[in-house]
Amino acid sequence: EAQVTQNPRYLITVTGKKLTVTCSQNMNHEYMSWYRQDPGLGLRQIYYSMNVEVTDKGDVPEGYKVSRKEKRNFPLILESPSPNQTSLYFCASGGLQGKRHIQYFGAGTRLSVL
Amino acid sequence: AQSVTQLDSQVPVFEEAPVELRCNYSSSVSVYLFWYVQYPNQGLQLLLKYLSGSTLVKGINGFEAEFNKSQTSFHLRKPSVHISDTAEYFCAVTTFSGTYKYIFGTGTRLKVLA
């Protein structure tokens, strides 16, 4: 079954304590992306990756890091989390169907930074 | 730069009534357009997409959308809604460029009333 898997699904942490949210896809997609969802703001893209070792900033990259060392994994790293990073995070992967790009989403990670 | 506007943050509608969720976009280049649905406590699911060709696009669960280039709109419609359609709906755009940076609207919460 085609899947985008995020872990953990729920996370409570404290300000300044480094954390990593993992994302894995089994569809051999080259494209992967991270979003955060906040009430009234919709989804905003944090980082995306077009391929292994190729990453680029989205609209809200500040305070986040990513890495793409292998095709299937795209972890999101918060080096020093702050309360304004409390949010619902989604990982997505995408691939081409013909010449058209389609994106698939994980189930989400709800993060609370105290 | 691209932008997406969903003017209606909430749309209440009675069961079996028709519904239209509005989406307008802004872009200086050609775009791909998408509608995603998010059921409570779940990730995003692709509802339908416009990539090229026919401007009337049919999606899952009886939804359809019409791409109107002159009005830069991509409104979502369903002729008769069910209670199970209660969810949040997001419009999104990406360009034909190779970077696949996605811009999402702020979402419309559809509440179907019995």
Side-chain angles (χ1 to χ4, degrees), chain B residues 16-37:
Chain B
E16 297 184 8
V19 70
E20 178 179 85
L21 306 183
R22 296 181 293 168
C23 173
N24 288 87
Y25 70 94
S26 172
S27 177
S28 58
V29 298
S30 296
V31 295
Y32 297 152
L33 293 154
F34 305 84
W35 276 100
Y36 288 87
V37 59

Side-chain angles (χ1 to χ4, degrees), chain B residues 4-22:
Chain B
V4 176
T5 302
Q6 292 181 249
L7 288 172
D8 305 306
S9 59
Q10 293 190 60
V11 174
V13 62
F14 284 108
E15 193 174 20
E16 297 184 8
V19 70
E20 178 179 85
L21 306 183
R22 296 181 293 168

Side-chain angles (χ1 to χ4, degrees), chain A residues 6-26:
Chain A
Q6 297 177 228
N7 280 297
R9 292 289 315 279
Y10 303 92
L11 180 60
I12 301 174
T13 189
V14 295
T15 300
K17 185 175 182 182
K18 181 180 178 180
L19 66 91
T20 299
V21 184
T22 64
C23 176
S24 178
Q25 52 99 357
N26 63 358

Side-chain angles (χ1 to χ4, degrees), chain A residues 45-47 56-65 77 85:
Chain A
Q45 197 168 30
I46 302 171
Y47 270 95
D56 210 345
K57 295 177 181 178
D59 288 329
V60 289
E62 293 79 20
Y64 304 94
K65 285 176 59 177
I77 303 157
Q85 293 178 298

Side-chain angles (χ1 to χ4, degrees), chain B residues 66-79:
Chain B
E66 186 160 18
F67 171 60
N68 188 318
K69 190 174 183 179
S70 62
Q71 297 186 4
T72 60
S73 68
F74 190 55
H75 300 333
L76 181 70
R77 301 185 185 102
K78 187 170 182 178

Side-chain angles (χ1 to χ4, degrees), chain A residues 9 31 35 37 40-43 45 48 50 57-59 88 90 96-97 99-103 105-107 110, chain B residues 32 34 36 38 41-46 49 51-53 88 90 94 98-107:
Chain A
R9 292 289 315 279
Y31 177 91
Y35 298 86
Q37 182 181 10
L41 297 177
L43 273 80
Q45 197 168 30
Y48 61 95
M50 297 298 294
K57 295 177 181 178
D59 288 329
L88 179 58
F90 288 100
L96 292 174
Q97 293 183 0
K99 294 183 180 180
R100 286 74 183 244
H101 190 256
I102 305 298
Q103 196 168 208
F105 285 81
R110 189 169 293 280
Chain B
Y32 297 152
F34 305 84
Y36 288 87
Q38 184 181 33
N41 299 314
Q42 294 187 26
L44 278 76
Q45 179 182 357
L46 182 64
K49 57 188 181 293
L51 304 174
S52 65
E88 190 152 22
F90 292 93
T94 188
T99 59
Y100 301 120
K101 185 175 180 179
Y102 282 80
I103 305 296
F104 280 78
T106 52

